[in-house]
Amino acid sequence: MLKIDSSEDKYKQMDLKGESESDKDLIIDSLSESLAIHKDIVERIQAESDELQYRYETLDRPQHQYYIEQEKQRILIEQHQSADRLDRLETTHQSLISQLNAKSVDYDHMQRRFESHLKRQPSFDNVAAIVQELLDDVHHFCRALHVHDRDALDLQFVDNVEWRTEKRLIDGLLVNVWRSPIQPGVSLNGAFEKVYRWIEKRNVAWATRIKQHLVAFVVKESRHETLRAQQDIAEHALQDLARFYMVTEEVRERWGSIVEKAFELNVLIKCQDVSILSIEEGSMMNEHIMVNVNKQSDAKVVGFVISPPFVASSEEGFLVQAQVFCV
């Protein structure tokens, strides 16, 4: 006889010896009832399984097939849409390539024009001569001025008034013209200065090339603005001179011509990457880059700088020495 051991979840052999007949019958009835319950459970599970199988084959299967067809349709639609997007992207890509090629052709053309423009510009030797000629013009201009208020002039400069007057005029050209980002009067000066400095920190050669390309073009397209700035700078210097010197019509014409040459020189300086160095007052005389105009003294300390050194550092470069007054 079998007996269910619920604690170990398995069947064991039952020993009915010593049991009364009534107890045996009770146990048998209990087992019969348990078997009947288990049989009902098994039959119910089988019936449910059969029902599910039947529903799948007769009812759910068509609906499942419908969902499959719907999914196929959705995938086909997405494929068509993706193909359309791909066609549009390829069309846009081809258009961009065509535009890029056109821009490349324009750039090559601009590059050739720029190189041709550089070839037409004066050589480095000629630029050095132009710088020296302009400085000489300022020197002779100052020597031709006639003082009308000596006391005010002496009070302003104390000593070496002619050299200090020359320094004052050249400083004005240096600050207002040659140190400008592009050219005085150009509206792009401020914006270009920021872009140029940003690029210069990352690639000096690129910054120089951009400046060379841009300056000549912008100056050419901004003649009205630069002409007005040229007149303003010339007039400001003349008003300053008028406090001490006689400003005649001849003086105005000569100084206006000098400022005009300074503007033209500025374009050459920018396009040929000429540097204008700074010299601190109180520094020691350096005969390689300086000329002492004080011929009456062997002093070696720079009292003041009349004109700065102009340097082109390429293989075909040049050096126009600074003029300094040593004390």
Side-chain angles (χ1 to χ4, degrees):
M1 181 63 66
L2 295 174
K3 180 180 180 181
I4 298 175
D5 187 348
S6 59
S7 63
E8 297 183 8
D9 197 20
K10 60 183 179 177
Y11 292 101
K12 293 182 178 180
Q13 187 73 27
M14 293 184 63
D15 185 6
L16 297 180
K17 293 181 179 180
E19 299 286 349
S20 64
E21 290 299 326
S22 60
D23 290 335
K24 291 179 182 179
D25 292 338
L26 182 60
I27 292 171
I28 291 171
D29 290 340
S30 177
L31 289 174
S32 297
E33 186 177 352
S34 296
L35 287 173
I37 292 172
H38 281 289
K39 182 179 179 182
D40 289 341
I41 293 173
V42 171
E43 290 176 350
R44 187 171 67 251
I45 291 173
Q46 184 62 45
E48 291 176 353
S49 176
D50 293 342
E51 175 69 15
L52 289 173
Q53 183 68 24
Y54 170 76
R55 288 188 60 186
Y56 172 75
E57 292 178 354
T58 60
L59 298 177
D60 293 344
R61 193 172 186 179
Q63 189 170 4
H64 182 69
Q65 188 66 29
Y66 170 77
Y67 287 138
I68 292 176
E69 293 300 326
Q70 289 291 102
E71 188 67 16
K72 286 181 178 179
Q73 290 298 321
R74 185 186 66 78
I75 292 173
L76 287 174
I77 292 172
E78 287 188 354
Q79 287 177 339
H80 287 307
Q81 291 176 344
S82 297
D84 290 340
R85 286 196 296 269
L86 180 59
D87 289 340
R88 289 196 297 271
L89 287 173
E90 288 179 345
T91 301
T92 303
H93 179 253
Q94 291 300 324
S95 176
L96 290 174
I97 289 178
S98 299
Q99 293 177 25
L100 181 61
N101 291 336
K103 294 291 184 184
S104 179
V105 171
D106 290 341
Y107 176 80
D108 291 340
H109 181 58
M110 183 179 68
Q111 178 76 11
R112 288 193 296 271
R113 283 192 305 171
F114 175 72
E115 291 173 353
S116 175
H117 170 72
L118 288 182
K119 290 179 181 179
R120 291 196 302 270
Q121 288 184 347
S123 65
F124 277 119
D125 290 339
N126 287 338
V127 174
I130 292 171
V131 172
Q132 191 61 62
E133 180 182 351
L134 179 61
L135 296 176
D136 290 342
D137 285 348
V138 177
H139 176 76
H140 295 308
F141 172 80
C142 292
R143 294 303 182 272
L145 290 173
H146 297 286
V147 179
H148 74 75
D149 192 341
R150 172 60 65 177
D151 292 338
L153 186 61
D154 291 339
L155 183 63
Q156 177 71 35
F157 295 128
V158 182
D159 57 7
N160 304 304
V161 294
E162 290 180 341
W163 287 117
R164 290 189 182 274
T165 298
E166 187 173 337
K167 167 185 170 57
R168 192 180 186 92
L169 291 175
I170 293 176
D171 282 350
L173 296 177
L174 178 63
V175 173
N176 297 316
V177 182
W178 300 325
R179 295 289 191 200
S180 63
I182 300 177
Q183 185 84 308
V186 174
S187 59
L188 290 176
N189 274 325
F192 174 76
E193 177 72 5
K194 293 179 181 178
V195 173
Y196 175 78
R197 295 304 176 194
W198 187 89
I199 298 175
E200 186 182 36
K201 291 179 180 178
R202 292 157 176 80
N203 191 314
V204 175
W206 269 95
T208 300
R209 198 60 179 269
I210 289 173
K211 181 174 65 176
Q212 290 174 331
H213 275 281
L214 198 62
V215 168
F217 172 76
V218 172
V219 170
K220 181 180 178 181
E221 298 299 320
S222 308
R223 289 179 178 175
H224 179 71
E225 293 83 354
T226 57
L227 178 59
R228 185 170 54 190
Q230 177 182 315
Q231 293 170 345
D232 290 343
I233 290 171
E235 183 61 30
H236 182 270
L238 289 172
Q239 289 178 2
D240 187 43
L241 285 175
R243 295 187 298 157
F244 319 111
Y245 298 97
M246 296 176 61
V247 178
T248 63
E249 191 62 31
E250 181 184 358
V251 169
R252 286 184 173 277
E253 289 180 2
R254 288 187 64 180
W255 181 246
S257 176
I258 289 173
V259 173
E260 182 180 359
K261 290 180 180 178
F263 269 63
E264 294 171 354
L265 175 60
N266 183 55
V267 177
L268 297 179
I269 288 173
K270 300 292 195 303
C271 290
Q272 299 204 19
D273 195 30
V274 177
S275 299
I276 303 177
L277 306 183
S278 298
I279 297 175
E280 295 292 332
E281 293 183 359
S283 59
M284 297 302 296
M285 171 69 183
N286 184 336
E287 294 181 354
H288 295 290
I289 62 172
M290 305 178 197
V291 173
N292 181 15
V293 300
N294 185 8
K295 304 303 182 182
Q296 299 177 354
S297 173
D298 294 330
K300 299 297 183 181
V301 177
V302 176
F304 58 90
V305 180
I306 301 163
S307 63
F310 291 73
V311 180
S313 57
S314 66
E315 293 181 0
E316 300 178 358
F318 64 83
L319 167 65
V320 176
Q321 292 175 299
Q323 294 184 94
V324 298
F325 193 99
C326 291
V327 294

